Amino acid sequence: MNILERYHAMEYGPAPEARNEADAWLAGRDFSKALFIGGDWKAASSGKTFETSEPSSGKLLAKVSDANAADIDAAVAAATKALPKWSASSGYVRAKVLYAIGRAMQRHQRLFAVLESIDNGKPIRESRDIDVPLAIRHFIHHAGWAQALDRDFPGQKGVGVVGQIIPWNFPLLMLAWKIAPALAAGCTVVLKPAEFTPLTAILFAEICERAGVPKGVVNIVQGGPEAGAAIVNHPGIQKIAFTGSSEVGKIIRKATAGSGKKLSLELGGKSAFIVFEDADLDSAVEGLVDGIWFNQGQVCCAGSRLLVQEGIAEAFIAKVKTRMSRLRVGSPLDKNTDIGPLVDLTQLDRVKGLIAEGARQGAVCWQPDAVLPSSGYYHLPTLATGVSPANILAQEEVFGPVLATMTFRNTEEAIELANNTRYGLAASVWSENVNLALHVAPQLKAGVVWVNGTNMFDAACGFGGYRESGFGREGGREGMFEYLVAKLPLGPLIKPATASAQPVEQAEGSAIDRTAKLFIGGKQVRPDGNYSLAVATAKGKLAGEVGLGSRKDIRDAVSAARGCKAWPEATAYNRSQVLYYLAENLSGRADEFTARLVQLTGVPAKAAREEVDQSIERLFLYAGLADKFEGRVHQPPARAVTLALHEPVGVLGIVAPDNQPLLGFISLIAPALAMGNTVVAVPSERYPLLATDLYQVIEYSDVPAGAINIVTGRTAELAGVLAKHDDVDGLWLFADAETCAKAEADSIGNLKRVWSGNGRSLDWASEEAAGDALLRRAVEVKNVWVPYGD
């Protein structure tokens, strides 16, 4: 066969990567002492080890120390001891250490790449050209953040000791995503790699020794579920960062509820790969190969759902099948391999089982005619057609080389199909019409959208998901915030509300009885149960009654908030005008609200007037910021720009405090509204009349029906209903510690974002309780990658 014939046949001979240095490293290491704690190498206190094997052959690679709770205690103690000096060191000192790590990794990047492919099974081209260089980039990039911390994040400091748990699909890259920002922020780290892929983390710990990382700043503990649970539950850890499955993410969310630990979760996905009829089909096919068969499909953001426009579906599928038949399945150390083995036999069996179930549910599964290697955990690339939106292959994360295909007729249907999943991590949009692509991208419920590209990442650009794909971001400015905390002016513990055993005394000469209704969908409505709650004055007299809201009322309010499209679709400028108008109308009734505050709370008239004036000022603040708290444009080292767009979280449940009841209520709803969220608010249980008086102002302030909904009643009960409601996207609550903890635990149904005071009140008049700190909580950051050039 001559060169031209070989070129057209696309046949390549073997091109193996040398593994002798990696084998020498494996042979020369005592893996029974692989725990890196306090700068020393230690065996597990139990003496136990676990086995890690080579996915391409099933052969044993090493027996590695298996940490238990006692080892985690030791690692946390080392991190705690190192924290004061490390956090107090200058940004320059931390920057030098991060840079030294990156440079040391560069000197050993081929060893890292080969070890990664041996241990994980991914093709050497991917580990050599993507994983390792990007891991190095993270450390060098975050060296800059360390030195610029005081300038770019004023008033913020490192959260403390961080527990980090990473998966097996990108062992080294996930380690870099976690450790680099933590060190830049001044945190110390206890990191647990996955049991399947511990080797590059051990090599990284050696790099830390050589790069001069102070002892105890980085601790790496190999182990299984016991070690992971010990990290999550350890009282000495202030933050948990986890990447893995949504199921485990929910367990962690529940385990940390009420602990006060900061939490970021980067979880599963079922990403849509949308091809419009005007797309460059050949480029889209190549993008699809990268989107779903990169790392054997073992990628949380894999483009595992192909949505193709009907008019081109037949031609496009034919091209996909032709390209699939050219994919080379084989040794991960062969430079010509496209698809290596899956990580383990359990993963291979899981993928086979999901394909079989998908076929049973009506999918037609096609594979190229190819021979698999005789040993190892290999699986052929699989194309499933005739997939219904409810098919398991369209809904469940397969985490293997399986592509589910559906068609759509128009743009609206494409968006609806793309969003028809409980996940929301990433998506790809393919079209030669950039106007169409940028019209679709903001409507996709995904944290990352690639236009005419896929699986593009950079340390300067945030990555993370919506919905059950988790919360928090990795990388970029938003990723740094995950490891920082601002000092909030927290007050005393909030006492649980107790129903009064004594009837409220009727006020003398009271006017005609009036019970304040609920405010749902722009209307005053009676509570579903037709019960009311007496509200007492500061002197114990009856001030009035409010409706006693229930589960049904919350459901109606959430439905109204979800159905309100006018508010989130309004321009930021229009939202600002409405908030200004709301402030203006509240100002016109300032005397009335001042009197109500005096009557209910008993504060002096001067203090009450100050609270009303501060509430008006707070509305003015967020009205002014509505069109100024904007996203950013990142310039990664690629021919692309990344648009970091601010989007509303969605439907926000807000449970307001008793302290400063008017100012607290407005300080919470105003930033949520400014960013385009719709709100279901539960006002102070003790002083709800301030909120029911306020909805009279809302009614004539041009606020669209459903943008603000107010349900009065028992704080603990209604907070629990909001937490469990899967159409509520976020929950802010300031209540007693038990109510906050229970709400966090109950939020796992859809992994909604929960912000609470952990049982403490807040000084709402302080500068720290206003501005960017709350606006950041009111937005999702979506990173849209837009390529340019030929």
Side-chain angles (χ1 to χ4, degrees), residues 601-630:
T601 66
V603 298
K606 183 180 178 181
R609 185 57 188 241
E610 286 178 356
E611 182 172 341
V612 174
D613 289 343
Q614 288 169 338
S615 299
I616 297 166
E617 182 181 344
R618 196 61 51 89
L619 280 169
F620 258 75
L621 170 69
Y622 289 113
L625 292 176
D627 59 354
K628 297 174 184 65
F629 188 73
E630 299 175 302

Side-chain angles (χ1 to χ4, degrees), residues 560-585:
R562 181 66 66 187
C564 175
K565 305 300 181 185
W567 189 251
E569 292 176 2
T571 66
Y573 174 54
N574 285 341
R575 293 198 300 269
S576 74
Q577 290 182 87
V578 171
L579 289 172
Y580 275 131
Y581 192 30
L582 186 60
E584 180 184 339
N585 289 330

Side-chain angles (χ1 to χ4, degrees), residues 685-698:
E685 179 175 337
R686 189 174 179 184
Y687 310 117
L689 290 174
L690 287 159
T692 59
D693 288 350
L694 188 65
Y695 70 55
Q696 298 167 31
V697 180
I698 294 169

Side-chain angles (χ1 to χ4, degrees), residues 725-736:
H725 201 303
D726 285 351
D727 258 354
V728 175
D729 302 299
L731 177 60
W732 300 354
L733 73 159
F734 284 81
D736 62 277

Side-chain angles (χ1 to χ4, degrees), residues 392-545:
I392 194 170
L393 296 179
Q395 291 297 323
E396 294 299 324
E397 186 178 37
V398 177
F399 228 60
V402 182
L403 177 65
T405 304
M406 291 171 279
T407 61
F408 63 89
R409 287 164 290 185
N410 53 41
T411 303
E412 292 71 24
E413 187 178 7
I415 294 168
E416 185 176 358
L417 282 171
N419 291 336
N420 182 35
T421 171
R422 68 180 190 272
Y423 298 109
L425 190 53
S428 294
V429 180
W430 291 78
S431 171
E432 289 296 281
N433 183 348
V434 70
N435 292 326
L436 173 61
L438 293 180
H439 168 70
V440 170
Q443 299 183 69
L444 300 177
K445 295 297 183 183
V448 181
V449 179
W450 297 292
V451 174
N452 293 333
T454 190
N455 282 340
M456 292 184 280
F457 311 99
D458 187 65
C461 307
F463 180 87
Y466 295 7
R467 297 173 168 176
E468 291 189 37
S469 289
F471 46 79
R473 293 293 182 264
E474 312 259 17
R477 182 180 179 85
E478 52 264 45
M480 282 298 300
F481 275 115
E482 299 299 329
Y483 292 92
L484 296 168
V485 290
K487 188 176 181 180
L488 288 175
L490 293 174
L493 284 170
I494 298 172
K495 296 180 180 179
T498 55
S500 174
Q502 300 295 326
V504 178
E505 185 179 346
Q506 185 74 29
E508 293 182 6
S510 58
I512 297 173
D513 178 67
R514 176 180 176 275
T515 300
K517 300 180 177 67
L518 312 181
F519 188 64
I520 297 175
K523 298 178 181 179
Q524 298 182 36
V525 299
R526 297 184 186 279
D528 179 68
N530 277 320
Y531 287 101
S532 61
L533 182 69
V535 180
T537 68
K539 297 179 179 180
K541 304 290 187 180
L542 181 66
E545 297 185 18

Side-chain angles (χ1 to χ4, degrees), residues 323-362:
R323 186 66 179 87
M324 289 173 68
S325 67
R326 302 282 198 274
L327 295 173
R328 292 173 62 92
V329 181
S331 168
L333 292 183
D334 188 332
K335 300 183 188 73
N336 292 323
T337 290
D338 297 303
I339 298 179
L342 298 179
V343 73
D344 185 76
L345 180 60
T346 56
Q347 184 64 14
L348 178 61
D349 289 341
R350 181 179 184 276
V351 171
K352 288 179 177 178
L354 286 169
I355 291 173
E357 179 58 24
R360 190 190 69 78
Q361 294 180 10

